[in-house]
Amino acid sequence: MSFYLHIVLSFLNIEKMTEKNYLFTSESVSEGHPDKVCDRISDMVVDSYLSKDPFSRVACETLTTTNKVVLAGEIRGPNINKSEIIEKVRDCIKDIGYDQEGFSWKDQTKVESHLHEQSTDIAMGVDSKDNKDEGAGDQGIMFGYACNETEDLMPAPIFYSHKILRLMAQDRKSGVLKGIEPDSKSQVTMEYENGKPKKVTSVVISTQHSKELNQENVKEIILPYINKSIPKELLTDLQKSEIYINPTGQFIIGGPDGDTGLTGRKIIVDTYGGAAPHGGGAFSGKDPTKVDRSAAYVSRYLAKNVVASGLTDKCLIQLSYAIGVSKPLSIYVKLAEKDHDKITEVEKIIKNNFDLSPRGIRELLSLNKPIYEITSSYGHFGRKPTDKGEFSWEKTDKTSLFKKV
C-alpha cells in the first residue's frame, strides 16, 4: 500500500468514527417559560373553538409581557364571547402558577383579544367544493422522526430534558417542591458511541425561584430531579462540576415579566431537540387543517410505526404540500441503513395505505377534537396517548404493515 493511499484510508476511517462518536445537546423549557405561556394560551383558543364545532378554523398568536397578554389571529367558527376567551386565558395563567407582581392570573394583568374572521381567500383554497377535495391550508415541508434511543422512540437528550422539567412542574403544583416558580429551562448533553447514547456529560437547569431561596438552596432541591429523570447507567460518569444549576447565581424575576413571550418560538423544543430537521412551521395556535401541525403529527406517526416494527433503528420522513392542493407533493423516507430497496418499499407502503390529504390525516388521527392544550409544553412527541384522543399520533398500531419489508 502506498503512503498516500494509507493517508486517505486513515482519513476516511476517522471521518466514519466522527459520524458515530460525538456529543449532542438538547434543551427544554417549562410551561412557565414566556413563549410556552403563549403556546398554551393559543392552543386553549384552538380547543375552545373545536369543542363547540370540530370543523372550526383557528390561527391564533399570543404575546405576553409584564402584566399584559395580547391575542391576535383569524377564526372561522362559532361565536365565542371575548369575555369567555379572556376568562380562559386567566385560567391558563393560574394553572401554570403565575400570581406574581409582574404577571398574574388576576386583574392586574390586562388581556386583549384581537381575533377576527378568517380570510375568504384562504378559506377558498382550503375548502372542498364540487369535485375538489379539501386542500392544505398552506404550502410547506414537514418532518417526522423516530429512533430507538428511548422507550418512547425519541432522541435521548430531548426526552430527558423534558422529563426533568415535567417532574419539577408536577411537584411544584402539588406543593412538594416549594420556593420554585414556573419559569424553568433544562439542557442535557450526551456522549454517543457508535451512534448510541452512552452517557450524560453535562446537565444545565435554570429555574425561577422565590427571594427566600439562595443559590445553595436551589441546587439542593433541584439536584434530585436529575437522578429521578435519567437512568442511573447514563449518569455513572457525570461529574458534579458538569452539573450547572442556576449558573447565573440568581433567577427571581422570570416569566413574561422577565422576557417577552410569543407563540411558536420554541419549535425545536416542541419536536426532536435538533436531532432531526424541522420544516419551519410552528404547531400551537393552529387547527388541524393547517398541515404545519397535522402533517408533522402524521409524519411522526409513520416514522414511529416504522421504527416500532423493528425494521430500522431510525426513521426520518418528510412530506411537502402546496396551498389548496390535497395530496402531498412528495414523500421522502430516510432509514438508518442506506438500503435503497428497503426505503423504496417503505415509501410504497405509505403511499398505498395512508391517505395523507389534510382530511385523511385528520380522520386517521382523529384530530378534530379539543386535544391540543396539553401538547403546548414538554414536547408534542414522545408522549402517551390518552383516552380523550390526545397524542393519537404516538400510537404504534400500524407496525404490521412495515414488518413485511
Side-chain angles (χ1 to χ4, degrees):
M1 183 186 297
S2 74
F3 173 76
Y4 293 106
L5 180 58
H6 177 78
I7 293 295
V8 169
L9 290 175
S10 297
F11 176 77
L12 290 174
N13 284 332
I14 290 169
E15 201 171 46
K16 285 181 181 178
M17 287 282 290
T18 306
E19 286 178 3
K20 293 182 177 181
N21 303 329
Y22 53 89
L23 297 179
F24 194 83
T25 304
S26 295
E27 72 157 347
S28 179
V29 298
S30 71
E31 62 204 76
H33 185 282
D35 296 330
K36 281 291 150 200
V37 173
C38 294
D39 286 346
R40 168 78 177 266
I41 291 169
S42 293
D43 276 334
M44 173 276 293
V45 173
V46 173
D47 283 354
S48 295
Y49 279 89
L50 291 178
S51 66
K52 295 178 184 291
D53 178 357
F55 298 101
S56 295
R57 303 282 169 80
V58 182
C60 176
E61 310 293 342
T62 303
L63 175 148
T64 60
T65 187
T66 303
N67 281 332
K68 179 164 280 192
V69 178
V70 180
L71 280 67
E74 300 78 47
I75 306 290
R76 192 176 74 178
N79 181 39
I80 300 180
N81 290 334
K82 186 181 290 189
S83 59
E84 183 179 339
I85 292 293
I86 290 174
E87 190 60 33
K88 288 185 175 184
V89 169
R90 297 193 186 282
D91 290 341
C92 288
I93 298 170
K94 184 177 182 180
D95 182 68
I96 292 169
Y98 278 115
D99 187 13
Q100 301 170 0
E101 185 178 339
F103 195 71
S104 173
W105 61 274
K106 296 175 183 174
D107 289 344
Q108 71 198 56
T109 295
K110 306 303 177 188
V111 182
E112 300 176 14
S113 177
H114 301 281
L115 300 171
H116 59 84
E117 287 199 9
Q118 184 189 53
S119 159
T120 54
D121 288 347
I122 294 176
M124 182 172 60
V126 175
D127 290 348
S128 57
K129 188 177 181 181
D130 300 328
N131 292 325
K132 175 186 173 297
D133 195 5
E134 180 184 307
D138 200 355
Q139 70 176 48
I141 56 175
M142 298 83 206
F143 289 93
Y145 180 70
C147 62
N148 58 9
E149 293 178 14
T150 63
E151 59 184 13
D152 290 314
L153 304 186
M154 285 289 287
I158 188 67
F159 181 82
Y160 297 124
S161 293
H162 283 322
K163 191 172 182 180
I164 291 168
L165 296 186
R166 196 169 65 246
L167 293 180
M168 285 171 56
Q170 288 172 3
D171 284 356
R172 174 178 58 79
K173 290 181 173 184
S174 69
V176 172
L177 185 58
K178 300 183 185 300
I180 297 300
E181 302 292 343
D183 191 0
S184 301
K185 301 178 78 171
S186 65
Q187 186 172 284
V188 174
T189 300
M190 302 198 71
E191 179 183 324
Y192 281 71
E193 189 174 275
N194 294 321
K196 298 289 185 182
K198 180 185 178 185
K199 62 182 180 180
V200 173
T201 61
S202 68
V203 177
V204 183
I205 301 174
S206 295
T207 184
Q208 188 185 13
H209 59 88
S210 68
K211 296 176 182 177
E212 287 70 39
L213 295 183
N214 60 32
Q215 175 77 336
E216 289 308 311
N217 297 148
V218 174
K219 284 184 178 179
E220 184 181 344
I221 62 178
I222 294 301
L223 196 57
Y225 289 92
I226 297 172
N227 296 317
K228 289 179 186 177
S229 303
I230 303 174
K232 188 182 295 184
E233 61 269 21
L234 296 175
L235 294 173
T236 50
D237 294 330
L238 183 62
Q239 305 297 314
K240 282 191 175 181
S241 61
E242 295 301 321
I243 299 174
Y244 304 91
I245 297 176
N246 280 15
T248 61
Q250 180 173 287
F251 187 1
I252 295 171
I253 300 172
D257 187 28
D259 191 11
T260 299
L262 291 169
T263 302
R265 284 206 300 196
K266 289 292 177 285
I267 57 176
I268 303 304
V269 170
D270 285 343
T271 53
Y272 308 103
H278 191 292
F283 303 154
S284 291
K286 298 175 182 178
D287 74 77
T289 65
K290 279 72 170 175
V291 284
D292 277 341
R293 181 166 222 161
S294 56
Y297 287 174
V298 81
S299 298
R300 161 67 177 173
Y301 175 67
L302 294 170
K304 188 172 183 181
N305 274 273
V306 169
V307 174
S309 73
L311 179 65
T312 184
D313 290 345
K314 298 177 183 179
C315 178
L316 175 70
I317 292 177
Q318 184 207 60
L319 302 176
S320 70
Y321 291 84
I323 188 168
V325 179
S326 62
K327 299 294 182 184
L329 304 182
S330 64
I331 301 172
Y332 167 80
V333 175
K334 182 179 180 181
L335 305 179
E337 307 81 10
K338 296 176 182 178
D339 185 327
H340 179 72
D341 291 339
K342 188 184 285 189
I343 290 169
T344 300
E345 190 62 29
V346 170
E347 289 176 351
K348 190 185 299 182
I349 290 170
I350 291 172
K351 288 175 184 176
N352 292 341
N353 292 275
F354 298 92
D355 178 358
L356 298 179
S357 67
R359 185 199 302 275
I361 295 170
R362 293 202 315 279
E363 291 176 353
L364 173 66
L365 300 178
S366 302
L367 297 180
N368 284 103
K369 296 179 179 180
I371 56 175
Y372 299 105
E373 193 174 341
I374 193 175
T375 68
S376 62
S377 53
Y378 313 117
H380 292 246
F381 308 125
R383 310 284 292 274
K384 303 294 184 188
T386 72
D387 294 339
K388 298 177 184 177
E390 297 154 336
F391 305 108
S392 59
W393 49 93
E394 291 296 309
K395 293 180 179 179
T396 53
D397 54 352
K398 301 294 182 182
T399 57
S400 60
L401 291 172
F402 301 103
K403 284 179 179 177
K404 301 172 184 176
V405 177

